[in-house]
Amino acid sequence: MRNIILSLFFLIGVKYSYSVCTSNGTGGGQWDQSSTWSCFPEASPPTNPSCPSTIIILASDSIYIDSQTDLIGCGPITVIVYGQIQFKNGVKLKLADGSIFDIKTGGTIHPGSGGGNSNYLEIGGNNVWTASDGTKEGPLTYGASGVLPIKLLSFQANLNEDKVDLNWVTETEVNNDFFTIEKSVDGKKWNEVS
């Protein structure tokens, strides 16, 4: 039996740009290298995750932030870390207010060689993690909760013979156009479930 990763994406209306960038184990693991990422929808030419709505770092990948990265102008972003994210000394990652930096079980965030504020993660103008905090392991979430345009009451996935039944209930939906469910056998290539 193959493991399949399911992802439920909540799209905010039809006027907004939307993309998910997932690390792909190439590009030397450098955040700012386009070859490090597989993005959907695909950009032409491929780009680093300059303004996606979601960035996913897979468990098998280590991503290195070695230059100042300011994504405040992108609006709220969700970063999900299953693998490792490593800062170079003196480097900062800045995200807009409403962003989420979610380190899952097995995921880690590592400082550079300096201490104090030599590098930090900033969300909405607030330093939520600095080098002086040291290496942190998941599960751990920094930033806002509720960046989605919905309030999700429940989400269930149940095995039904050779299929999976998904059921969810929302309490509210604001500017939400539709739900898209995608599946993957490797966490890198995703296909929409019809």
Side-chain angles (χ1 to χ4, degrees), residues 29-109:
Q30 300 299 315
W31 178 282
D32 60 357
Q33 295 295 314
S34 61
S35 58
T36 298
W37 306 99
S38 296
C39 296
F40 176 84
E42 292 181 18
S44 182
T47 62
N48 60 334
S50 56
C51 274
S53 57
T54 305
I55 299 169
I56 301 170
I57 299 171
L58 298 177
S60 58
D61 293 338
S62 294
I63 301 298
Y64 303 94
I65 299 179
D66 60 0
S67 61
Q68 304 296 354
T69 305
D70 185 342
L71 301 177
I72 292 172
C74 297
I77 293 175
T78 300
V79 179
I80 303 170
V81 181
Y82 293 98
Q84 297 182 41
I85 191 160
Q86 172 77 51
F87 283 77
K88 181 180 177 184
N89 192 35
V91 173
K92 284 79 172 152
L93 173 61
K94 297 179 180 183
L95 303 175
D97 189 33
S99 294
I100 296 174
F101 194 91
D102 189 14
I103 305 170
K104 300 295 190 182
T105 300
T108 55
I109 184 171

Side-chain angles (χ1 to χ4, degrees), residues 68-184:
Q68 304 296 354
T69 305
D70 185 342
L71 301 177
I72 292 172
C74 297
I77 293 175
T78 300
V79 179
I80 303 170
V81 181
Y82 293 98
Q84 297 182 41
I85 191 160
Q86 172 77 51
F87 283 77
K88 181 180 177 184
N89 192 35
V91 173
K92 284 79 172 152
L93 173 61
K94 297 179 180 183
L95 303 175
D97 189 33
S99 294
I100 296 174
F101 194 91
D102 189 14
I103 305 170
K104 300 295 190 182
T105 300
T108 55
I109 184 171
H110 302 274
S113 58
N117 287 337
S118 62
N119 43 49
Y120 58 77
L121 170 62
E122 174 188 295
I123 298 177
N126 298 307
N127 291 349
V128 297
W129 172 87
T130 67
S132 63
D133 295 327
T135 297
K136 294 291 184 182
E137 298 178 357
L140 181 63
T141 301
Y142 297 108
S145 60
V147 74
L148 296 174
I150 62 142
K151 183 172 183 183
L152 189 64
L153 290 177
S154 67
F155 182 86
Q156 296 177 344
N158 297 307
L159 187 60
N160 182 1
E161 295 180 14
D162 64 342
K163 298 179 182 179
V164 176
D165 292 328
L166 301 177
N167 295 295
W168 63 91
V169 176
T170 61
E171 181 176 323
T172 60
E173 296 182 33
V174 178
N175 294 328
N176 186 54
D177 191 37
F178 54 88
F179 298 93
T180 300
I181 300 170
E182 296 183 347
K183 67 179 179 178
S184 175

